[in-house]
Amino acid sequence: MAAIQRTLFARQAFSLLSRPTPARLAPFALTRTATTARSFTASASWRSEESALPSQSPQDAQQQPTAAASHAKTTPEDILKKALTFVPQHGWTTVSIAKAAESMGYPTIIHGMFPKGGADLIDYFLQDCLERLPLELEGRMEGLGTQEKIKLGTLTRLGMIAPYIDRWHEALAIMGQPSNVAMSLNHLAKIVDEIWHLAGDKSADMNWYTKRASLAGVYTTTELYMTTDKTPNYQATQKFLDRRFEDAATVGKATNEVLQIAEFGAKSVLGLITSKGFRM
């Protein structure tokens, strides 16, 4: 329990400080180029807003048929996808969304379609990463042991935030806000579940929970460490992850600490975290 609490406390503290202002486990060389998204299921907060995209008058449509056709095909996901290219400069903000809309020929007020602002952009990015992960790992886990598969999956997923690493502390701060904790926890649960699934896990007992709880602790601490890593190709982060796996002995085996948390069940875990002022 103490180790998990330390992990959660570290991420919450980092959040508070930020608010004021692939072969066989080969090193993952990361670039600073933003990754484009493939698909996304719109969040409930703005899923119904597709019809709110600005339309042209019949006269304008006749004069600019190409632009009208382009706008007709535009979805909120297209705007958020484009907004990712502005994150390195403008952060996880409505400014990035407005800049994306403007570059696509829409008025900057279009960002009003996304009432959660930066949180909607982060939500889109995390969902896109989840959908890209199986494609990134396709054919790369063959011949690996379970722990090596989990480590490769974790490194690959962490690699997806590398293009935005200079702004990722802002994302963590946004995810740490009370109104976004549920979204943050939901994505964390999806990340660790997907990694275990891709590693071939078929657990159907309490181990299903303990494996994911254990990996969640490893993932969150490594993600936080990565935001401070200035070494080439994030070599220090890879070594840090190796140490976390060593600390866990064998990822997936239940320890008393993880078992105590897992037994609370999904509904009580969130209550425990929020009551302590922690976040994941």
Side-chain angles (χ1 to χ4, degrees):
M1 179 72 74
I4 297 298
Q5 287 181 331
R6 285 195 297 272
T7 297
L8 299 175
F9 180 78
R11 294 193 66 182
Q12 179 67 7
F14 192 82
S15 169
L16 293 173
L17 289 173
S18 302
R19 289 175 187 172
T21 15
R24 186 183 175 87
L25 216 58
F28 60 122
L30 306 173
T31 65
R32 298 286 176 177
T33 303
T35 306
T36 56
R38 286 187 172 82
S39 60
F40 179 68
T41 300
S43 67
S45 66
W46 48 266
R47 182 183 301 142
S48 61
E49 298 296 331
E50 289 189 32
S51 60
L53 288 170
S55 59
Q56 294 176 306
S57 65
Q59 294 80 3
D60 292 337
Q62 292 177 358
Q63 296 174 0
Q64 300 178 2
T66 302
S70 176
H71 282 187
K73 296 179 181 179
T74 301
T75 65
E77 291 89 342
D78 293 329
I79 296 175
L80 292 176
K81 175 181 178 180
K82 184 66 175 180
L84 290 177
T85 64
F86 292 92
V87 168
Q89 182 177 358
H90 300 288
W92 302 92
T93 63
T94 55
V95 175
S96 291
I97 298 175
K99 290 287 185 181
E102 184 178 24
S103 71
M104 298 171 73
Y106 294 109
T108 56
I109 59 172
I110 200 71
H111 68 73
M113 292 174 56
F114 310 98
K116 294 183 179 179
D120 274 331
L121 184 54
I122 294 169
D123 191 16
Y124 167 80
F125 172 69
L126 293 176
Q127 182 64 29
D128 179 65
C129 288
L130 182 71
E131 295 174 5
R132 286 192 289 117
L133 188 58
L135 301 178
E136 294 288 339
L137 291 172
E138 186 175 3
R140 295 170 58 197
M141 287 187 169
E142 297 178 4
L144 298 178
T146 299
Q147 184 162 311
E148 289 179 309
K149 290 179 179 178
I150 298 300
K151 189 183 295 186
L152 176 59
T154 302
L155 284 173
T156 301
R157 177 58 184 79
L158 288 170
M160 293 179 181
I161 69 174
Y164 313 98
I165 196 63
D166 292 336
R167 294 284 190 171
W168 196 244
H169 64 283
E170 299 173 6
L172 293 178
I174 293 172
M175 287 189 284
Q177 295 171 0
S179 60
N180 300 323
V181 167
M183 180 266 285
S184 177
L185 288 171
N186 181 49
H187 279 296
L188 178 60
K190 288 180 179 180
I191 290 170
V192 297
D193 181 56
E194 183 69 6
I195 292 174
W196 271 110
H197 173 73
L198 294 173
D201 179 55
K202 295 180 174 58
S203 300
D205 52 14
M206 183 57 70
N207 280 334
W208 189 96
Y209 298 97
T210 57
K211 288 177 179 179
R212 284 151 181 79
S214 179
L215 182 57
V218 171
Y219 183 90
T220 54
T221 54
T222 307
E223 176 190 45
L224 182 61
Y225 183 87
M226 185 176 174
T227 63
T228 66
D229 185 5
K230 303 300 181 183
T231 60
N233 297 331
Y234 300 93
Q235 295 173 1
T237 296
Q238 296 178 68
K239 293 178 180 179
F240 181 88
L241 180 63
D242 288 338
R243 293 194 296 272
R244 297 292 71 74
F245 274 89
E246 291 172 1
D247 291 343
T250 301
V251 173
K253 287 187 177 180
T255 62
N256 290 333
E257 177 180 284
V258 174
L259 186 59
Q260 290 173 18
I261 293 178
E263 287 177 343
F264 278 108
K267 61 181 180 180
S268 59
V269 168
L270 180 58
L272 174 66
I273 293 172
T274 55
S275 69
K276 298 295 185 181
F278 299 137
R279 77 174 188 84
M280 291 184 74

